[in-house]
């Protein structure tokens, strides 16, 4: 997820320099590119997790895992995005470092955790429906 966020931030920065008038479209496309992977990945995690059937307490383990991943990826992605922009795009200074780590990191963590949570819920719903159908068919 860190690599994806840094790549999109770099691409968005370069696109803003090359095509400054189409910023809204660029940001919308970047948002979709950043939201879809955790949504799908977490949904697949939820569908494949056999522990969800055995122990209801294990359901929170997936959610906690995605929260930890988001909190770890956020500041790292903020730092790396700052470094990429400082070196390759606009030569921003060290004054932007703290804002990139804290603000950018928090936003990155939200862009990972919120879609992942939705994906987990959708995966559980799909898993529950498929389990309900097999249980009904067995009876």
């Amino acid at each position: 997820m860190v690599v994806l966020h840094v790549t999109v931030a770099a691409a968005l920065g370069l696109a803003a320099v090359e095509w400054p008038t189409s910023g809204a479209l660029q940001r919308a496309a970047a948002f979709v590119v950043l939201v879809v992977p955790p949504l799908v990945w977490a949904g697949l995690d939820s569908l494949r997790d056999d522990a969800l059937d055995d122990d209801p307490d294990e359901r929170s383990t997936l959610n906690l895992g995605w929260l930890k991943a988001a909190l770890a990826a956020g500041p790292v992605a903020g730092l790396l995005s700052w470094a990429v922009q400082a070196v390759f795009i606009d030569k921003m200074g060290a004054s932007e470092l703290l804002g990139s780590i804290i603000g950018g990191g928090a936003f990155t963590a939200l862009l990972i955790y919120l879609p992942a949570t939705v994906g987990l819920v959708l995966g559980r719903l799909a898993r529950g429906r498929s389990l309900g159908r097999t249980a009904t068919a067995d009876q």
Side-chain angles (χ1 to χ4, degrees):
M1 297 309 302
V2 170
V3 172
L4 177 67
H5 279 263
V6 171
T7 303
V8 168
L12 197 56
L14 288 172
V17 170
E18 294 295 322
W19 304 287
T21 59
S22 62
L25 180 62
Q26 295 165 3
R27 286 189 299 273
F31 182 76
V32 170
V33 167
L34 293 175
V35 167
V36 169
L39 179 85
V40 172
W41 191 350
L44 292 174
D45 277 351
S46 184
L47 282 172
R48 285 184 285 186
D49 193 16
D50 292 332
L52 293 177
D53 296 335
D54 300 334
D55 187 7
D57 292 333
E58 289 295 320
R59 293 180 184 177
S60 63
T61 304
L62 277 178
N63 199 7
L64 186 60
W66 275 99
L67 177 62
K68 289 178 183 178
L71 291 177
V76 173
L79 175 66
L80 291 177
S81 295
W82 171 83
V84 167
Q85 282 188 327
V87 172
F88 297 111
I89 298 173
D90 62 1
K91 311 292 186 229
M92 66 191 332
S95 63
E96 296 292 323
L97 176 61
L98 193 59
S100 292
I101 292 174
I102 294 173
F107 188 65
T108 299
L110 281 173
L111 281 179
I112 294 171
Y113 182 65
L114 292 179
T117 301
V118 171
L120 289 172
V121 169
L122 293 175
R124 287 179 192 147
L125 288 173
R127 186 179 179 86
R129 288 186 183 151
S130 66
L131 288 174
R133 286 186 197 138
T134 57
T136 305
D138 289 342
Q139 291 175 356

